[in-house]
Amino acid sequence: MKLREWLWSYFFIGPNLLFLFVFLVFPLFYTFYLSFFEADIYSSVFIGFDNYSNLFGEELFRKAFVNTFYFVLIIVPCVIVISLVIAAFMQGFHKVSKSFFRLIFYLPVVSTPVVLSLVWAWMYNPSFGIIKYFSEVLGFGSVDVFSGQLSAILALSGIVVTWMVGQPIILYLSGMDGVPKDLYEAAEIDGAGALRTFFSITLPMISHTTLLIVITSTISVFQIFVVIHLITGGGPFHGTESLVYTIYRTAFVSLEFGKASAQSVILFFIILIISLLQFRLMKTKLD
């Protein structure tokens, strides 16, 4: 490559490389570095692995760890199943109808989680929310779903699912459009019904899309924060507190930046290991 072409290529990718280094690479390595210090705003003292060893003895951190897994185990399967069913249902729609519903389901994806969380907080309000109104109309009385841990986790999970299914629906629709039509024609000639065609042809042919959705959804749910912060504040009694919310409280409420960095490093490795396991297990089955 000529020098002039080489310079032009780095001229165009340079801003992106700078952005990547400043906002991703440097914070990542600095978080690793800071996790070995007892650090606040004014001082930092090197303490080795004490932040890590102390964390595993903390009941609140263990509770946040378990809560996060509850969210992942509830939300990710729901996102997969609901988006798959909706996409399969939309496959039979006319082109115009399909485009309309594609827009409707994708709208929450481009909306900010803050706005969506505030809307849901209003709907779930035990004093004047619309869910309270319908609950009373149906004879169940006034219901506060955020007063108990299980009901609060289920309610928060349901909220997150509503805005997470949009993108998987679009991905599944694209995957289904790519399935060769002659396979469906062969299945029809063999007398296969709609369900058998779906499970024997459609589902295996879009398995790579499912792999992508499982991994990206898992990573997203491990970082659940906004909906917890705005609706429950981690309550009741830390019953909905996730790892990211714990990191936020440790860093910006308690001002223990070294400890928060250690929590972030642990979360980083949890996400990394689970994503690699998911990729390895599902890729083996796909191959």
Side-chain angles (χ1 to χ4, degrees), residues 18 23 28 32 45 48 56 77 83 102 112 115 207 213 233 244 261-262 274-275:
L18 182 65
F23 293 103
L28 179 64
F32 275 99
V45 179
F56 290 104
S83 58
R102 191 178 286 176
T112 63
V115 173
S207 51
I213 295 171
V244 173
S261 298
I274 290 179
S275 300

Side-chain angles (χ1 to χ4, degrees):
M1 182 184 290
K2 295 178 181 179
L3 178 62
R4 189 175 178 181
E5 293 176 347
W6 184 84
L7 287 174
W8 270 112
S9 63
Y10 276 92
F11 174 78
F12 285 111
I13 66 172
N16 285 331
L17 287 176
L18 182 65
F19 184 87
L20 187 71
F21 179 79
V22 172
F23 293 103
L24 186 64
V25 177
F26 174 72
L28 179 64
F29 283 100
Y30 189 69
T31 301
F32 275 99
Y33 168 78
L34 200 60
S35 67
F36 297 108
F37 288 82
E38 183 180 355
D40 55 26
I41 294 178
Y42 305 104
S43 63
S44 62
V45 179
F46 182 77
I47 56 172
F49 286 93
D50 284 1
N51 278 329
Y52 293 98
S53 57
N54 294 335
L55 277 178
F56 290 104
E58 286 188 6
E59 185 182 350
L60 187 56
F61 183 73
R62 291 200 303 269
K63 195 167 187 177
F65 185 86
V66 173
N67 289 341
T68 305
F69 271 89
Y70 282 155
F71 282 119
V72 173
L73 292 175
I74 295 170
I75 294 173
V76 174
C78 287
V79 167
I80 300 294
V81 173
I82 293 173
S83 58
L84 186 59
V85 170
I86 293 175
F89 188 67
M90 287 174 61
Q91 269 303 96
F93 285 7
H94 186 268
K95 188 177 179 181
V96 177
S97 304
K98 192 188 288 187
S99 300
F100 173 74
F101 283 104
R102 191 178 286 176
L103 172 67
I104 294 296
F105 283 115
Y106 200 73
L107 274 179
V109 179
V110 296
S111 305
T112 63
V114 173
V115 173
L116 295 172
S117 297
L118 291 175
V119 171
W120 278 101
W122 174 81
M123 291 173 67
Y124 271 116
N125 190 291
S127 300
F128 54 79
I130 193 169
I131 292 176
K132 168 189 175 288
Y133 171 76
F134 282 110
S135 174
E136 289 179 344
V137 168
L138 295 172
F140 295 108
S142 181
V143 177
D144 184 5
V145 294
F146 299 118
S147 59
Q149 182 186 8
L150 179 61
S151 58
I153 286 179
L154 290 174
L156 291 176
S157 300
I159 293 169
V160 175
V161 168
T162 58
W163 73 57
M164 275 190 69
V165 294
Q167 198 160 27
I169 288 173
I170 303 299
L171 291 173
Y172 272 133
L173 282 172
S174 300
M176 289 175 183
D177 287 341
V179 178
K181 304 299 179 192
D182 53 348
L183 293 178
Y184 291 123
E185 292 169 1
E188 189 177 353
I189 292 171
D190 289 342
L195 279 178
R196 188 176 175 187
T197 302
F198 177 77
F199 285 105
S200 301
I201 296 177
T202 306
L203 206 53
M205 293 298 290
I206 59 172
S207 51
H208 286 87
T209 306
T210 304
L211 171 63
L212 173 69
I213 295 171
V214 167
I215 292 176
T216 54
S217 300
T218 302
I219 293 172
S220 297
V221 179
F222 263 111
Q223 300 175 67
I224 184 171
F225 170 74
V226 173
V227 66
I228 295 171
H229 182 54
L230 293 178
I231 296 182
T232 65
F237 306 108
H238 305 286
T240 58
E241 192 164 317
S242 66
L243 282 174
V244 173
Y245 191 78
T246 301
I247 293 169
Y248 158 76
R249 283 198 319 103
T250 306
F252 300 108
V253 178
S254 303
L255 301 180
E256 298 175 88
F257 298 118
K259 185 178 171 182
S261 298
Q263 292 170 338
S264 303
V265 171
I266 291 171
L267 178 61
F268 170 78
F269 279 108
I270 289 172
I271 294 175
L272 180 66
I273 291 168
I274 290 179
S275 300
L276 289 175
L277 282 174
Q278 285 178 331
F279 184 80
R280 184 70 182 270
L281 289 172
M282 293 189 70
K283 192 74 171 58
T284 304
K285 288 183 179 178
L286 294 178
D287 291 341

